[in-house]
Amino acid sequence: MVRPYAVTGGRTGAGEQQFDLIAVVVSDLPDPALAPDAPEPPVGPEQARILGLCRGTPLSVAELAADLDLPVGVVRVLLGDLLAAGLIRVSRPVPPALLPDERILQEVLHGLRAL
């Protein structure tokens, strides 16, 4: 068992990035089974596990933390490092202020039913 502060090198923040629990993470690195000549990125074992889980399969930050059995804060720090290295892509959720108003959606629904 490794202490969480040892995994992150004593860091508690993910740098400039803020990772929401429902932010979706995906890695575009080639699968080692399909491309054995592709070099493995120089990352730690926990980051390598993140890359393996996210390789071609989008996962949320919460799912990654659960799959890795690590605290969310630790996973956020590791994701910050991977994002800075360009090894992952992160899709952030749409802020509630940018979502359409429920009243407008109800009017559209009533209009469609009237057809």
Side-chain angles (χ1 to χ4, degrees):
M1 169 143 172
V2 178
R3 298 276 184 198
Y5 63 83
V7 173
T8 63
R11 296 172 295 136
T12 58
E16 297 177 10
Q17 302 298 323
Q18 297 293 327
F19 296 99
D20 195 336
L21 285 176
I22 58 173
V24 177
V25 180
V26 67
S27 171
D28 291 329
L29 294 177
D31 188 354
L34 300 175
D37 298 338
E40 284 294 318
V43 295
E46 289 80 13
Q47 291 173 325
R49 287 180 58 203
I50 290 172
L51 292 174
L53 289 169
C54 295
R55 187 171 281 135
T57 305
L59 291 174
S60 71
V61 174
E63 290 173 313
L64 284 171
D67 288 346
L68 296 169
D69 197 26
L70 288 172
V72 175
V74 171
V75 172
R76 286 178 172 155
V77 172
L78 297 174
L79 289 174
D81 294 343
L82 292 172
L83 186 63
L87 299 174
I88 60 170
R89 287 182 293 124
V90 179
S91 301
R92 291 173 175 76
V94 177
L98 297 179
L99 293 174
D101 185 22
E102 183 178 346
R103 183 179 45 80
I104 294 173
L105 294 175
Q106 287 292 336
E107 290 178 19
V108 169
L109 184 61
H110 292 305
L112 289 172
R113 285 183 180 155
L115 293 176

